[in-house]
Amino acid sequence: MTMNTPALVYWTSVESPVGPLLLTADPDGTLTSLSVPGQKGGRTVQDGWLQDPGPFRAAEEQLAAYFAAELKEFRLPLRARGTEFRERVWDALDAVPYGATTTYGEIAARIGASRPAVRAVGGAIGANPLLILRPCHRVIGADGSLTGYAGGIERKTRLLALEGVLPMPPS
């Protein structure tokens, strides 16, 4: 592949209780993003992308099981590209278990970042390209508040309710 040749991107859309999910993958089937409509920084289908549900069968099955409260941990190949700092933050997100929450400060401490780096941690979490699969919805404010979520606070509330952290909001 030359520098001018864009990488091949596969995509599919999957229905879910939090709206349609746009999934992308590289040619070897590794998931590169999961976006929701209206997501801050979320992906949208681009010219040249190939719509093909084939590379996403395992992801669709695991997402369906997750939304049915039958799956607590995704086992899918994921690849997100970011700065070294963002990738460390995203790795720390992967360690937050189902049904638990953590704070931005705890994530900063986990990656060895200084207290002033909490804002940068928040920025990295907000730039997470793999919503739901990489559980940024489990990060809350130090005071217990449901602070920002790129997919919207309503979706964050629904995901935390699904995991038993919050009462289920009315539909």
Side-chain angles (χ1 to χ4, degrees):
M1 182 166 61
T2 67
M3 293 297 284
N4 298 340
T5 307
L8 188 57
V9 176
Y10 290 94
W11 72 275
T12 196
S13 184
V14 176
E15 287 303 315
S16 83
V18 295
L21 308 176
L22 172 65
L23 287 87
T24 63
D26 61 18
D28 69 7
T30 300
L31 295 174
T32 55
S33 74
L34 186 157
S35 300
V36 296
Q39 174 185 334
K40 181 182 166 196
R43 296 186 89 177
T44 55
V45 177
Q46 304 294 310
D47 288 341
W49 287 10
L50 295 177
Q51 183 175 14
D52 181 358
F56 304 98
R57 282 188 177 65
E60 286 189 60
E61 290 169 9
Q62 290 186 36
L63 284 161
Y66 169 79
F67 286 116
E70 297 167 357
L71 179 81
K72 292 181 173 24
E73 190 176 327
F74 293 102
R75 299 203 180 282
L76 296 165
L78 306 175
R79 179 176 300 122
R81 298 215 193 294
T83 64
E84 180 188 339
F85 179 82
R86 283 185 172 181
E87 289 180 9
R88 285 188 5 240
V89 170
W90 297 339
D91 287 345
L93 287 176
D94 290 340
V96 181
Y98 181 98
T101 59
T102 190
T103 66
Y104 296 91
E106 289 167 351
I107 294 286
R110 188 173 293 164
I111 66 165
S114 65
R115 191 78 195 133
V118 170
R119 287 182 66 93
V121 166
I125 290 170
N128 171 22
L130 289 155
L131 293 193
I132 304 168
L133 302 173
R134 179 158 282 147
C136 53
H137 60 276
R138 297 178 188 153
V139 182
I140 61 173
D143 62 359
S145 62
L146 298 185
T147 56
Y149 179 61
I153 293 295
E154 312 76 33
R155 285 189 183 101
K156 182 174 191 157
T157 301
R158 281 193 75 76
L159 293 169
L160 290 174
L162 171 75
E163 295 185 12
V165 175
L166 297 174
M168 188 58 82
S171 296

